[in-house]
Amino acid sequence: MSHPMYVKLWGVRGSHPVSGKETIEYGGNTPCVQVEANGQLIILDAGTGIIGLGRYLAARAARSSTPVEATLLFSHYHHDHTEGFRFFLPAYFPSTRLHMYGPRLGGHDVESALACMQAPPLFPVALGEMRSSREIHCIQEGDTILLGDGAIVIRTHRSYAHPGGVLMYRIEYNGLAVVYATDTEGYLGTDRRLVAFAQGADLLIHDAQYTEEQYRGTRAGYPATQGFGHSTAMMACEVAAAAGVQHLVLFHHDPSYNDDLIRINEAQIRSVYPNVTAAYEGLEITIAGDQTSTIALPNKHDVAAV
């Protein structure tokens, strides 16, 4: 297996983090995905999942005597995608270098959005007081980021199917591709622009927050969620099938869903689209050539020890 891409999920929940015995299997942290290829570390979003990733990276850096250097990509600035950055341990180390990218949304770019979230009285440490070196870039649809002398190409896609809009990312390396498409809602007849963006990807991580019942308003005690800016698992499958994606990961689970509900939803979808996995914390996927192998940890809720 030569020149693979490595993906690990550290946070898979949407809206807000949850805890308790009913959410242990899939996890309760909000979005954060680690991608590594060609010696480059890429982090997608900074929900509470980035806290555990930060501890792991700090320990790895100490063992190897190599400072943390990472490219951090924000899809948007809703709280569940940014709330972990304040507790991202490497951001406090002077040796850390962070290359941060995100769209301008609602008059805010990456720097101003994070600065607002860390301004008094919301947080005791201002963004400027974090001791890491930070290069912050505002990007938009159609922009391309090159890493590792161009070996890794990151492409961007703007979706308007979520309040305020989001950026989606396609990470390409050595003929392989991972697409991150969170916080989006399907269209009648499928989101054709997203299908084109994800075409032929080895791995698609796609928003699948709601069951069909909740989306349509037939889940007892819950309102319909059509128009909320999130997809059902079937919407994600429609995109994956139309784009010819090799493997689909259902992402951004609703915080009210327990492990049993997510498991049942995954089983129902697998009968329609076999190459699908409901995202869980600690899920590791290694992609190499025409083979995508999922490496499940002994228990789904176990995250690699720091």
Side-chain angles (χ1 to χ4, degrees), residues 210-217 219 222-225 254 256-257:
Y210 299 123
T211 62
E212 292 292 329
E213 292 76 17
Q214 183 163 354
Y215 186 79
R216 299 174 186 276
R219 185 185 179 203
Y222 290 84
T225 55
D254 189 87
S256 70
Y257 292 2

Side-chain angles (χ1 to χ4, degrees), residues 7-209:
V7 180
K8 183 170 181 177
L9 276 57
W10 291 83
V12 302
R13 238 1 119 156
S15 301
H16 63 77
V18 294
S19 63
K21 62 182 182 180
E22 293 187 340
T23 59
I24 289 175
E25 185 175 343
Y26 289 91
N29 282 298
T30 56
C32 181
V33 176
Q34 170 191 4
V35 179
E36 295 200 61
N38 195 41
Q40 298 289 321
L41 168 62
I42 301 165
I43 302 171
L44 294 155
D45 277 329
T48 57
I50 202 173
I51 301 171
L53 172 57
R55 292 171 182 157
Y56 165 76
L57 293 176
R60 186 170 76 173
R63 289 194 300 269
S64 65
S65 299
T66 303
V68 174
E69 183 169 2
T71 297
L72 178 51
L73 307 174
F74 288 91
S75 60
H76 62 309
Y77 310 120
H78 285 174
H79 195 62
D80 52 333
H81 294 256
T82 56
E83 59 194 334
F85 183 75
R86 298 170 291 181
F87 303 98
F88 181 52
L89 191 57
Y92 292 88
F93 299 158
S95 59
T96 297
R97 294 184 62 190
L98 298 176
H99 310 276
M100 302 166 67
Y101 296 83
R104 181 177 294 278
L105 300 170
H108 287 279
D109 56 17
V110 176
E111 187 166 17
S112 64
L114 293 178
C116 286
M117 295 172 193
Q118 294 185 215
L122 301 180
F123 197 69
V125 181
L127 179 65
E129 295 174 332
M130 302 175 90
R131 301 176 68 194
S132 57
S133 171
R134 295 179 299 280
E135 297 176 4
I136 302 178
H137 308 271
C138 186
I139 55 174
Q140 60 186 356
E141 181 175 39
D143 286 349
T144 299
I145 303 167
L146 302 179
L147 302 179
D149 296 323
I152 298 175
V153 179
I154 303 174
R155 306 186 190 279
T156 57
H157 171 73
R158 176 77 180 266
S159 172
Y160 298 89
H162 189 73
V166 300
L167 269 190
M168 300 173 179
Y169 295 97
R170 180 182 177 112
I171 303 169
E172 300 175 346
Y173 169 65
N174 194 37
L176 309 173
V178 172
V179 174
Y180 180 72
T182 189
D183 291 65
T184 187
E185 185 170 351
Y187 296 109
L188 181 65
T190 308
D191 185 339
R192 306 310 303 182
R193 293 178 64 245
L194 178 53
V195 167
F197 185 69
Q199 194 68 43
D202 297 272
L203 178 66
L204 171 62
I205 302 171
H206 193 293
D207 187 293
Q209 177 148 340

